[in-house]
Amino acid sequence: MEGKRSKKRKRAKRLKFQNEKDDSAAVEEIDERKEEEESAACAFAKRPKSQGLSKSSTFLEKMRARLSGGHFRMINEKLYTCTGKEALEYFKEDPELFNVYHAGYQEQMSHWPEKPVNIIIKWLKDHSPSLVVADFGCGDAQLAKNVKNKVFSFDLVANDPSVIACDMSKTPLDSSVVDVAVFCLSLMGTNLASYLKEAHRVLKSRGWLLIAEVRSRFDPNTGGADPKTFSKAVCELGFTSIFKDFSNKMFILLYFKKKDKQTSKKTKEIEWPELKPCLYKRR
């Protein structure tokens, strides 16, 4: 009798051990499945979320680009249709607009196969580094940052420590102190003749005047100025035309030298052709 009870107890222990083992395995299996499900759920959740964020970010970037482009066009039109003094006051009221304008400008330039500032940089590097330069409408002072020459960088707002903020018709320079005056896509404003007069004042005798401008502004067929008429007006101010470069489809380059003898006419006596402003169609 006692032997039968002993066998039953042993069998019960084996069954209990087996059951505990099975339960433990089942729990482990459940935990593993749970882990896998959670991991899969995470991966599944992350994937569409990432795609959604990507699409959302792209949409927002496009919207920001459109808004930025709209602001740039608005400011650009303002600068072409006001005087330098008015433009200076405009940016003094809200300096951040200058950053918006130049961000738009840089975006526009990114689509040009060649930038005029790089041609002017190369021209300066091909000449003596002792030449003193005045960069009228310098922006972020790329010219000064890429040559060994002494460069006076002027613009409406100084967004770089090397830039002098001023109306470009009234720079703080003394007369006859620079060897090269540069206008790189900066002959904007209704009083651009006064900028050229200021360049003539600060240039030494036989100093260089380099002008790079948007090609369409000098296309008579589309309302632009005749390059010959413009060059004639600059020469009457006291310069000699040295070279004209029309090889680029986006811009033209004009090279002048200040005359030795001061036989220039007064700015008001000169018939200045109207340079076509770069205006954009409303969208």
Side-chain angles (χ1 to χ4, degrees):
M1 191 75 175
E2 187 63 33
K4 286 182 181 180
R5 286 177 183 171
S6 177
K7 285 180 182 180
K8 284 180 181 180
R9 280 197 295 271
K10 287 180 181 179
R11 193 182 300 159
K13 282 181 180 180
R14 281 199 302 271
L15 286 169
K16 184 180 179 182
F17 175 75
Q18 186 63 43
N19 288 337
E20 287 175 353
K21 188 176 179 183
D22 290 343
D23 287 346
S24 176
V27 169
E28 284 179 9
E29 188 176 351
I30 288 169
D31 287 343
E32 284 177 6
R33 282 182 185 174
K34 191 176 179 182
E35 234 176 82
E36 288 172 1
E37 284 171 3
E38 285 176 353
S39 177
C42 263
F44 181 76
K46 283 178 183 176
R47 188 179 171 192
K49 187 177 179 182
S50 174
Q51 289 175 348
L53 282 172
S54 177
K55 287 179 181 177
S56 177
S57 297
T58 303
F59 174 74
L60 286 172
E61 283 168 9
K62 285 181 179 177
M63 287 303 293
R64 285 194 191 103
R66 287 187 67 180
L67 286 170
S68 178
H71 286 154
F72 167 72
R73 286 188 289 274
M74 178 192 73
I75 299 167
N76 197 58
E77 184 169 328
K78 171 76 175 175
L79 296 178
Y80 274 110
T81 55
C82 71
T83 65
K85 184 180 178 180
E86 290 168 340
L88 187 64
E89 291 301 318
Y90 179 65
F91 286 127
K92 274 184 179 178
E93 289 177 9
D94 189 353
E96 181 57 31
L97 288 175
F98 191 76
N99 296 328
V100 173
Y101 171 75
H102 270 281
Y105 173 82
Q106 293 297 338
E107 200 280 328
Q108 293 280 325
M109 286 293 100
S110 68
H111 301 293
W112 286 30
E114 190 171 28
K115 297 177 180 64
V117 68
N118 291 336
I119 295 176
I120 294 171
I121 287 169
K122 185 180 182 303
W123 186 92
L124 285 170
K125 287 182 176 179
D126 290 340
H127 290 73
S128 172
S130 66
L131 295 177
V132 179
V133 182
D135 186 5
F136 290 79
C138 64
D140 54 0
Q142 281 301 306
L143 190 65
K145 293 173 183 176
N146 286 278
V147 295
K148 295 178 180 178
N149 307 66
K150 167 65 179 175
V151 180
F152 292 101
S153 302
F154 302 111
D155 216 318
L156 295 166
V157 176
N159 63 351
D160 186 276
S162 65
V163 177
I164 300 167
C166 66
D167 175 352
M168 292 191 299
S169 66
K170 296 177 181 178
T171 69
L173 293 177
D174 292 330
S175 298
S176 305
V177 291
V178 301
D179 302 288
V180 185
V182 175
F183 289 88
C184 185
L185 306 180
S186 57
L187 278 180
M188 306 171 77
T190 56
N191 64 323
L192 61 85
S194 64
Y195 304 157
L196 295 171
K197 181 183 177 183
E198 178 68 358
H200 183 273
R201 182 186 72 80
V202 301
L203 274 169
K204 297 175 184 177
S205 178
R206 298 189 61 77
W208 286 92
L209 170 64
L210 309 185
I211 298 173
E213 262 305 330
V214 179
R215 192 182 183 94
S216 62
R217 300 189 75 194
F218 288 91
D219 186 354
N221 298 319
T222 58
D226 186 332
K228 291 179 181 178
T229 306
F230 178 78
S231 292
K232 180 175 179 290
V234 175
C235 290
E236 287 179 355
L237 185 61
F239 290 95
T240 300
S241 178
I242 304 298
F243 179 63
K244 299 181 185 72
D245 183 358
F246 296 93
S247 62
N248 196 285
K249 66 177 183 179
M250 303 300 288
F251 57 87
I252 68 168
L253 285 156
L254 305 174
Y255 299 79
F256 299 90
K257 268 195 158 187
K258 184 176 177 178
K259 292 176 181 177
D260 283 324
K261 295 180 180 180
Q262 300 302 308
T263 57
S264 60
K265 291 184 180 181
K266 291 182 180 179
T267 311
K268 291 180 180 179
E269 296 174 354
I270 301 170
E271 291 185 18
W272 290 94
E274 184 181 351
L275 293 190
K276 181 182 177 183
C278 294
L279 305 180
Y280 296 84
K281 292 180 180 179
R282 296 286 188 272
R283 294 182 178 180

